[in-house]
Amino acid sequence: MKTSFAGQRLHHEATARIRRFLDHEQPGTPCLVIDLPTVRDRFTAIRDALPGVGIFYAVKANPTPEVVALLAAEGSSFDVASPNEIDLCLAQGAAPGTISYSNPIKKARDIAYAYGRGVRLFVSDSEHDVRAVAEHAPGSSVMLRILVDTKGSTYPFGKKFGCAPEMATDLLRLARDLGLVPLGVAFHAGSQQLDPNGWDGAIADAAEITAKLRAEGVELSTVNLGGGLPAGYLDPLPPLADYAAAITASVSRHFGEFAPKVMVEPGRAIVAESGVLRAEVVLVSKKSYSDERRWVFLDIGRYGGLAETEGEAIAYPLRTSRDGGAAGPVVIAGPTCDADDVLYQDTCYDLPLDLRAGDHVDLLCAGAYTTSYSSVAFNGFEPLATYCVR
Ligand SMILES: *Cc1c(COP(=O)(O)O)cnc(C)c1O
């Protein structure tokens, strides 16, 4: 890995622990190995950089029970999207009061289930959902998610979540009228946000809504800045301290003397760098005698957990068992009989010229959005196995 979000030293120790596990256990591939000390390190780095900010780990990034248990023990809160994620967090030691049901798209019976398990914080972006929360989770706190500009993000959320600021303002008034606690504004500035100022426009919108409602006597105590903190893939990143400084300055600039409580929902930044995904080369071939680029087929692809290679958005750093010798350009593809199961053809990867079937290829920084995207058995391939090292 060329850069690391929180420093190189731990990364080398983590790599050594993971390599010891792989050498000793020789697990079948593909598999993901999570270094739990790295998860703890990333969580504490974010907590230390943003003192006083509530950290809600976005469980979808990596729902491995050991990861959730470790974060619960460290005092993290949790951002969940379904009844099963609620049960997972509770089973791993999270208190119901530390859980935010942050998915604005939810069934009435799932809201009721969450309420029954003690969850009292919900995020909405529509009138129907606010009314459903009022009916099935009476008296709970609700945040309204707004649509935001996500430029600077490698993996934007588009227009699926959030509503226009005027509508969010009306729905916060409605929440109050329905006996809910209107807690504040939420948003997501886009995943893998490479610009430390990428939250600023949305923070300004949140502050404007908050000021408008304060003038009417509705006090919103909190702002939820969502996820987006990045992980160190191939490109260099600004340091975490730059993000913390930009976010803190932006909140105080826009909210002024009325400092809100702040929540963040990091997923990727907590787990990505903790994971190494070991794959095996199935085949190296050429499509014609004159072809310069070889095709390298791995035993993992788009459907085995590498969904974030869609559009080649996320480019994982690669290591092979033959690194060090001469290398040349390759196309990298997965093992299934699906034509879209090609990982990289525009991103330039050079792999060793003597790479061959049976060799290992390790994908670094692969702890986020891999196991959770792995299909059940597309073409009969098993879902991605996860192991944890301590
Ligand atoms: C996925 C998600 C997150 C985590 O985003 P990252 O970019 O991985 O930090 C946070 N909040 C919500 C509501 C999400 O859906």
Side-chain angles (χ1 to χ4, degrees), residues 238-288:
L240 175 58
D242 290 9
Y243 285 86
I247 287 170
T248 307
S250 175
V251 170
S252 70
R253 186 162 64 247
H254 296 296
F255 281 83
E257 58 181 307
F258 301 100
K261 288 186 206 153
V262 179
M263 293 167 56
V264 292
E265 300 173 329
R268 187 187 302 284
I270 290 181
V271 287
E273 294 182 9
S274 71
V276 172
L277 201 162
R278 172 150 287 190
E280 182 181 315
V281 176
V282 179
L283 176 72
V284 181
S285 67
K286 286 190 170 186
K287 300 291 178 191
S288 75

Side-chain angles (χ1 to χ4, degrees), residues 57-78:
Y57 170 61
V59 173
K60 75 173 183 291
N62 189 317
T64 303
E66 291 90 333
V67 169
V68 174
L70 179 157
L71 291 170
E74 289 293 328
S76 183
S77 297
F78 296 92

Side-chain angles (χ1 to χ4, degrees), residues 58 60 79 102 145 157 188 191-192 227-229 265-268 369:
K60 75 173 183 291
D79 155 20
S102 292
R145 181 154 166 186
F157 273 71
H188 196 304
S191 203
Q192 185 70 3
L229 289 174
E265 300 173 329
R268 187 187 302 284
Y369 303 115

Side-chain angles (χ1 to χ4, degrees), residues 332-347:
I332 304 174
T336 67
C337 293
D338 183 292
D340 283 330
D341 190 9
V342 176
L343 304 177
Y344 302 112
Q345 47 192 339
D346 298 325
T347 310

